[in-house]
Amino acid sequence: MYDVLVVGGGLAGLTAARALDRAGKRVRVLEAGPQLGGRVQSRVEDGFTLDAGYQVLFPAYPAARRWLDLEALDLVPLPPAAVIRRGPQADVVGWPPGDPGALGGTLLTRALSTRDKARVLALALRLRSPAPWTLLRGPDEPTEGYLRRFGFSEGALDQFFRPFFGGIFLQRDLSTSARLFRYYFRMLMDGGAALPAAGMGAVSAQLAQDLKVTLNVQVQHLAPHGSSVTVSTSAGELDARQVIVATDPDTAARLTGEDTARGHLSGTYLHYAAPALVDRERRLLLNAGGGLIQNAHWLSAAVPGRAPEGQHLLTVTVLGLPDLPDDALDRQVRAELATWYGEAAVRSLRTLLTERIHHAQYPQPPEYAATLAGHATRLSGVLLAGEVTAMSSIQGAMESGEKAAAIVLGDPEGMSRPRGA
Ligand SMILES: Cc1cc2nc3c(=O)[nH]c(=O)nc-3n(C[C@H](O)[C@H](O)[C@H](O)COP(=O)(O)OP(=O)(O)OC[C@H]3O[C@@H](n4cnc5c(N)ncnc54)[C@H](O)[C@@H]3O)c2cc1C
């Protein structure tokens, strides 16, 4: 009999299991897939380290600071600026001006008017003082409305906020909750963005260290009886005093009967190998020129070691799941890249992988927080974790796992920690 069985080995499940293991509980993680990490994993293809899609770590996430040894992750900080591409034209804009480099990028850029530059500074001043988690409270509205009310021009929305925050929210229309916008803006100000040298999968691997895990086992049914729960899996039955369900939202709804389904935001990712560095740019490239590309990143320029010696890695993000076969999508993305780099350079790219991720995040419109699931379920002895109880992010997943573990352990400090803290 286990003290706790954790269903799902993504960041939520791994954080819960780690907290319980640390407290001396007999705990096992049951993961349906062949690898841990859920949406945060990496794999090596042909010598290239590819992450699941494209994502970055905000080292200022409070849960990441509590649960990860950031130093051991060998984080490579990304430059605090992005490049806005409109065909051959490239302009640098600083990320939220946390440091002088970013500030310089923002003040000198041609992509923002003087008035918009002043607004960026005013926004940074407004958001830099409150405790970050309090930014998830207060009045809510779509990010677009908030930015307009703050005085940003149409040009700033189209040239900077849609390309940049559209990539974070996986929605270019800026319909996402302004509370989340304020929180992420602050996270960027406090710690920028970084990538582990060995890929994002290193985050999951570190959390999983020393945990007892069974891979390739699908949990199908949970049956509470008396003081324990029987967990039926594709490999037989197991019993535990308590179960934490830390799966994707749809599976959590199926297993617990709770209303956790939240819909899906999808992304499509094209990973290219290049024999030479077509662009020496280490910064994220944001597309403001129309077309399918949301952003692109020469990962081997930003993070040495992601490509084999003498080769390079470019990852392109396209929002949603375009209704095109892979080869047609690849042709269209290459045509757009050719307006940046020319035909010859683009011909030299070799397509490594086209990856379609159906559930990357769930949509978080204004007031989404009021609809989030709690941790309790109608099944006795069964708790929920996973971003559906917090926010659709690495912080949300980790804090949800931490909170489910705190409930099992009866830890008042952990139980009462506010979202985002
Ligand atoms: C492409 C992409 C970009 C992103 N960008 C960012 C970003 O920049 N910043 C950010 O903070 N967040 C980002 N996110 C979101 C973030 O990665 C997720 O919110 C977080 O990883 C979710 O973790 P989780 O543990 O809740 O769920 P998951 O990672 O989905 O883990 C759930 C696990 O449960 C397992 N499972 C499902 N059903 C069963 C079953 N029946 N039995 C056993 N196991 C089961 C699954 O296999 C999976 O491993 C991004 C996500 C993606 C995919």
Side-chain angles (χ1 to χ4, degrees):
M1 165 89 73
Y2 288 93
D3 290 323
V4 185
L5 283 168
V6 176
V7 186
L11 296 185
L14 292 173
T15 307
R18 192 152 196 81
L20 293 165
D21 181 67
R22 219 181 245 184
K25 295 288 180 191
R26 199 162 171 258
V27 57
R28 178 171 286 275
V29 177
L30 304 175
E31 165 54 46
Q35 203 180 321
L36 287 172
R39 276 168 268 166
V40 180
Q41 35 180 290
S42 305
R43 61 174 154 179
V44 177
E45 287 264 341
D46 211 6
F48 293 83
T49 303
L50 307 182
D51 290 341
Y54 173 80
Q55 65 183 303
V56 298
L57 179 67
F58 294 168
Y61 277 152
R65 289 189 173 182
R66 282 192 295 278
W67 289 99
L68 296 172
D69 178 348
L70 293 174
E71 206 154 305
L73 279 179
D74 200 6
L75 292 180
V76 179
L78 299 178
V83 176
I84 298 181
R85 298 282 329 206
R86 269 158 298 174
Q89 190 181 325
D91 293 301
V92 176
V93 174
W95 280 357
D99 73 28
L103 195 56
T106 304
L107 293 181
L108 297 177
T109 188
R110 287 177 298 175
L112 294 176
S113 67
T114 307
R115 184 183 154 81
D116 285 321
K117 289 172 190 169
R119 295 284 87 199
V120 172
L121 289 181
L123 186 61
L125 286 174
R126 163 91 55 98
L127 298 181
R128 80 172 184 189
S129 307
W133 62 270
T134 62
L135 299 172
L136 290 170
R137 301 196 166 178
D140 208 357
E141 63 188 310
T143 296
E144 180 177 355
Y146 174 73
L147 292 171
R148 283 189 200 285
R149 277 200 308 107
F150 210 84
F152 284 105
S153 71
E154 204 63 46
L157 293 181
D158 286 344
Q159 303 300 318
F160 177 63
F161 289 105
R162 286 186 214 287
F164 186 54
F165 281 91
I168 294 177
F169 295 144
L170 303 184
Q171 275 184 308
R172 205 175 165 98
D173 61 5
L174 300 175
S175 61
T176 308
S177 154
R179 291 178 183 165
L180 271 185
F181 166 79
R182 294 189 284 262
Y183 185 77
Y184 287 145
F185 194 97
R186 175 62 183 274
M187 290 297 109
L188 282 165
M189 269 200 286
D190 284 357
L195 284 168
M200 285 295 286
V203 171
S204 310
Q206 191 187 82
L207 283 174
Q209 255 166 34
D210 303 325
L211 293 180
K212 292 191 178 54
V213 171
T214 307
L215 296 174
N216 297 308
V217 62
Q218 183 141 25
V219 173
Q220 292 160 337
H221 185 67
L222 304 173
H225 43 80
S227 57
S228 66
V229 183
T230 296
V231 177
S232 303
T233 79
S234 49
E237 290 189 347
L238 293 164
D239 287 304
R241 279 180 232 291
Q242 281 172 294
V243 171
I244 295 177
V245 175
T247 64
D248 56 281
D250 288 357
T251 309
R254 224 168 24 250
L255 288 175
T256 64
E258 297 300 324
D259 177 20
T260 53
R262 290 277 170 279
H264 310 281
L265 292 176
S266 312
T268 302
Y269 302 87
L270 295 98
H271 304 276
Y272 293 103
L277 206 49
V278 172
D279 187 344
R280 293 193 175 280
E281 190 51 76
R282 292 180 65 234
R283 294 170 283 211
L284 183 64
L285 307 168
L286 306 174
N287 183 24
L292 283 180
I293 297 177
Q294 173 68 21
N295 61 50
H297 202 176
W298 285 93
L299 283 164
S300 52
V303 187
R306 295 290 297 268
E309 191 66 30
Q311 297 199 60
H312 295 280
L313 174 63
L314 171 70
T315 292
V316 172
T317 300
V318 171
L319 297 185
L321 302 174
D323 189 15
L324 287 172
D326 283 0
D327 54 346
L329 174 64
D330 186 44
R331 274 198 302 279
Q332 179 144 352
V333 166
R334 283 171 179 268
E336 291 178 25
L337 289 174
T339 67
W340 299 6
Y341 299 130
E343 301 278 349
V346 169
R347 260 197 307 276
S348 74
L349 301 179
R350 178 165 59 94
T351 309
L352 283 169
L353 180 72
T354 299
E355 201 182 9
R356 295 173 193 254
I357 300 183
H358 169 60
H359 182 74
Q361 292 177 28
Y362 60 80
Q364 298 169 102
E367 304 294 348
Y368 79 97
T371 67
L372 290 175
H375 292 270
T377 72
R378 66 197 69 194
L379 302 180
S380 155
V382 178
L383 290 169
L384 267 178
E387 43 160 20
V388 285
T389 66
M391 61 181 118
S392 195
S393 67
I394 290 171
Q395 163 71 22
M398 293 184 73
E399 75 177 56
S400 77
E402 188 179 21
K403 188 151 291 180
I407 295 169
V408 170
L409 297 171
D411 160 26
E413 191 191 324
M415 283 193 281
S416 56
R417 185 176 290 119
R419 287 197 180 113

